[in-house]
Amino acid sequence: MTLEVIAKDPQGLTNKALIIIHILDVNDNSPIFVKPLYTDTIKENTPGGSSIVTVLATDADPGLNGKITYSIKGNYVIDKNDLGDLLFQVDSESGLITVKHKADFESHTFIKFEVLATDGGGRTGSADVEVTIEDVNDYRPTFVKDFFNLEVPANIKVGSHVVTLRATDNDSGQS
């Protein structure tokens, strides 16, 4: 902003001074996410590096105070088991969330975590991300052992019960 100040003495002589005012930004705005909740569904065999969703936050402050970086807050809410390692990562500049490594439906079917947007002045905003994991048939059926040795009499009737074998499959449901 500029101001011009004019001084005038009683005899009518004048002089001018130019004042330039620089308004310095105060980091008075926190980042705000466009949506409070981002959701997506992935298959449990989605490979590492695959894109999930892009989060977006804005900050009304200009310059450095309005520059946003993204991070994942290290707490997850999971439906079944504790998740030892984070399955997702976020690009600090773009907000793109990608798969870090494959999920396992049999361990967790739903994951919720918090993404932070931090501006250059240290103010933060947050949004939740919920990812549903879909099952795929990724386990083979297994028998208790690989080899069975049976003795059957030569005169057994056709259709007689000889043996019952049981196989298990670590996939959930019908997979």
Side-chain angles (χ1 to χ4, degrees):
M1 174 189 317
T2 58
L3 296 173
E4 185 178 76
V5 178
I6 300 173
K8 186 176 183 181
D9 69 13
Q11 284 74 34
L13 298 174
T14 62
N15 198 355
K16 295 179 185 179
L18 185 62
I19 300 173
I20 300 174
I21 300 172
H22 298 277
I23 298 174
L24 301 176
D25 182 41
V26 175
N27 190 24
D28 54 349
N29 295 292
S30 294
I32 298 172
F33 278 88
V34 174
K35 298 187 320 187
L37 175 65
Y38 294 82
T39 60
D40 203 356
T41 300
I42 63 169
K43 295 191 180 306
E44 70 175 316
N45 62 350
T46 301
S50 298
S51 299
I52 300 295
V53 67
T54 300
V55 296
L56 177 63
T58 60
D59 191 312
D61 288 308
L64 181 62
N65 287 334
K67 182 170 175 19
I68 294 173
T69 57
Y70 299 96
S71 61
I72 292 178
K73 190 172 180 180
N75 63 338
Y76 276 36
V77 175
I78 303 140
D79 63 339
K80 291 183 180 178
N81 299 323
D82 181 31
L83 188 61
D85 189 18
L86 301 180
L87 288 177
F88 305 103
Q89 57 194 11
V90 63
D91 182 276
S92 64
E93 293 192 21
S94 70
L96 175 65
I97 297 175
T98 56
V99 175
K100 195 171 176 181
H101 56 82
K102 286 196 257 185
D104 182 22
F105 177 84
E106 286 69 34
S107 296
H108 36 271
T109 60
F110 176 80
I111 299 170
K112 180 177 179 180
F113 57 94
E114 188 175 13
V115 176
L116 300 178
T118 305
D119 67 18
R123 294 179 75 122
T124 62
S126 66
D128 289 328
V129 177
E130 295 178 353
V131 180
T132 301
I133 310 297
E134 288 184 344
D135 193 20
V136 295
N137 189 7
D138 57 343
Y139 288 99
R140 296 174 184 256
T142 57
F143 290 99
V144 175
K145 57 184 183 176
D146 294 332
F147 178 77
F148 298 89
N149 188 10
L150 303 175
E151 293 181 3
V152 179
N155 63 348
I156 192 168
K157 288 183 167 186
V158 174
S160 296
H161 182 296
V162 176
V163 67
T164 300
L165 298 178
R166 189 165 292 218
T168 60
D169 189 328
N170 286 338
D171 282 306
S172 299
Q174 297 294 320
S175 296

